Amino acid sequence: MSQMVLFFFKNRSVSKLPDSRKVMKLILQCILLAFLSINNPINAEDEPAPLLSADEVLQRLEHIKDVNSENSPLALKLLSELEKSISNTSPVSIRREYLSVLISAQTESGALDAAWNNAIKLTDLGRKESDKSALADGLTSQGSVLVTRGKLSGALPLFRRGIELAEAEGNHKIAQFAYNNLALAENSLGNFQDALTYFLKAVEHAELVEKGRERSMAVLLNNISLLYMSLKNPDKGLEYNRLAFEMAEKSGTKGILATLALNRGYAYDEIGEEEKAYLSYKEGLRIARENDSIRSEAVALINISDYFLRQKDYETSAEYGTQALLASEKTGEQSYIATSRINMGLALAGKGEAEEGAEQVIAALDFFKKSDNKLDVESVLGELAQLYQSAGMYQLAMETLIEKMALSEELFKSDREKAVTELQEQFDAAQRQKKIELLERDNQLKNTEIENKKLQQQVTMLGVVLVVFGAVLVFLLYRKVQKTNLQLKAANSQLEIQSICDPLTGLFNRRSFLNLMSTRGEFEDRRNINDENPDSLVLLDVDNFKQVNDIYGHAAGDTVLIEIAKRLKKLMRDTDMVLRWGGEEFLVFIKQPDPQHIKILVKRILDTIGSKPISIGDKSLTITVSAGQISLPFCDMSEQEFNWERALQLADMALYLGKVHGRNRAYCVARLLAPFDEVQPILEKDLAEAMRQEMVEVYAVEGPESE
């Protein structure tokens, strides 16, 4: 299991590291202080008078913020030295800022108990001094520590109260901090619409903070990138990761480069570019260790362990998993600890100890369930189902898969994605408007220069010459613009094709099918319950594909997928749609076939793929598929009552029955044998049980006989 890096804590001011002489001087000062003085608490009644002025203390704190972004242990030493210059008589703003920086440094270094205690102190300071900014900062900091400990529900009211106080006080810096944390918590709970709403609010406040604006925007762009990856859109996630990286470099921020490298690797993993992902994780690990960032180091080790899991190198995965667990325990981040244990459990299962490995995964899964972290629960259920299937525990695999599918439908249903898309369009529109404003300023300057040139020309040239020259210039510009527009149109057409096609097989991809389904509502009148020839969905999964990859390599697996794609395209009509659904899965969308011929058509699909061996170098492999088929609309029900997502879920269950009963076969869901209201509770959970109770008619289609 991979891990993303979330910015739950403050966006610190970051500049380049001080040179080695300054660092050594600061460290020596800290050591000298340890020998010569006792660490005095802020609230001590008998402290000596401050050794530094208020302005000098604030300057030191700004410098420590920069250090903290790249080396939190050093920042803690510098804060310990500065503490003697702060007393209970110091201005509230200084005590508030000191505690705020201290909490951030303690959190980054994994000292969560100390961070929690100081967040309580900061909250008490705000109440005692009637300082809304201190109170808002303290409450939000408490929420951040709770999130780190996996207590998401308890953190939400603290973030909301912090936002209310910060906005009432007009403190945009703390409001942005609170909105960012609230958005990340909602994202972990699977509330993606709310998450993006709060990210946009954080962006609004960040733009009103003059100091560190670019640094804050880098953090927010990273978190929006992670939101897209949560929504299973890694391409968009990579785009925002790149924008965050550019903004971080522009601001001189080094402290988040390790995080950005790790999240870039996570996105590469999602789109199947494993080697690029591994290199990004190694880069993130290097930067984290250089800057003593234990949190980023833990995440890097977790993701490298996951990489070796997928490479079937279980010994190396277990080694990195052990390192990840040690680093995660230092951070106190319970989700990191749980993820490390999941990887270790999967590595044990890979080495043949399936039951012991499953126990570790289930224990970690219980933590995510108790935290109500639906996003991670959905991911872990998928890996647990794969573990059971690989170990031959098919009943447990089926039960786990059904639980995962139910949660996936809850998390990623289409109306939520539509709302998120609308909000994202608002964000993009705001960004475009800013670019337009900048361009308009540039154009104003250019227009002024052009006007000056025209005035000079009018003095020296005749009006007729100007008219002719202007006409020629306009003509040339028109030709140039026309040529540029044609080039842009061609480029956009090519990009549009790439966005809806799978790069490996050339088939349509999942996005193209989603686009097609989104338009079906416009033709609902045609799809009524009297439609005699409904459309048909056939979901295919290549049998034993994992063994092909393991034995012959991923290049052989790609060859198999490409050949299957060619055979399906050749078999199906132009009016049908063949697409790569993901991994080794294909989907065939058949337009209004004759219902009497469905069984024959499914048989032809199985025979076309499995009857003729596929050549891989000097070897020939007989490849078969398992399939599930269903009509759309299904069983005289309108698509409003039983939509395509439900139909495809049922086809997936039918496909799984084919896997369980020996592969190289298809199960076709023909019709219901009882009212839908009676069948629905069982049908959506267990197709086999619905068949046993004679609630649904399903028939099997055998594939080609093996030679």
Side-chain angles (χ1 to χ4, degrees), residues 42 76 79-80 97-107 115 118:
I42 293 176
L76 288 172
L79 286 165
S80 177
E97 190 68 10
Y98 175 83
L99 283 171
S100 183
V101 177
L102 180 60
I103 293 166
S104 179
Q106 288 170 335
T107 302
N118 282 314

Side-chain angles (χ1 to χ4, degrees), residues 265 268-269 273-283 303-304 307-308 320:
Y268 279 135
D269 256 340
E273 298 190 25
E274 294 183 346
E275 290 306 315
K276 287 185 178 179
Y278 175 66
L279 293 176
S280 295
Y281 294 149
K282 293 289 284 186
E283 179 186 0
N303 291 350
I304 292 173
Y307 167 80
F308 283 108
Y320 276 103

Side-chain angles (χ1 to χ4, degrees), residues 208-248:
L208 296 173
V209 178
E210 293 186 6
K211 197 166 188 178
R213 181 186 305 158
E214 292 172 343
R215 178 174 57 253
S216 298
M217 288 300 297
V219 170
L220 290 169
L221 287 169
N222 171 77
N223 290 339
I224 292 173
S225 165
L226 298 183
L227 175 59
Y228 272 112
M229 285 185 261
S230 297
L231 287 168
K232 312 300 183 186
N233 191 346
D235 292 330
K236 200 73 174 177
L238 274 174
E239 177 184 336
Y240 276 89
N241 181 273
R242 176 182 57 79
L243 292 174
F245 191 85
E246 291 175 357
M247 193 66 72

Side-chain angles (χ1 to χ4, degrees), residues 455-493:
L455 289 173
Q456 294 173 4
Q457 290 171 353
Q458 287 173 354
V459 174
T460 58
M461 300 180 67
L462 297 173
V464 176
V465 175
L466 280 174
V467 172
V468 173
F469 178 77
V472 173
L473 181 61
V474 169
F475 175 75
L476 292 175
L477 288 173
Y478 172 77
R479 290 290 301 275
K480 184 175 181 180
V481 169
Q482 188 179 43
K483 182 178 179 181
T484 302
N485 285 339
L486 289 173
Q487 292 173 341
L488 285 173
K489 186 176 181 181
N492 287 335
S493 298

Side-chain angles (χ1 to χ4, degrees), residues 22 56 353 433 547 591:
K22 290 181 180 177
E56 289 173 328
E353 302 176 42
Q433 183 60 36
Q547 294 181 13
K591 295 289 291 182

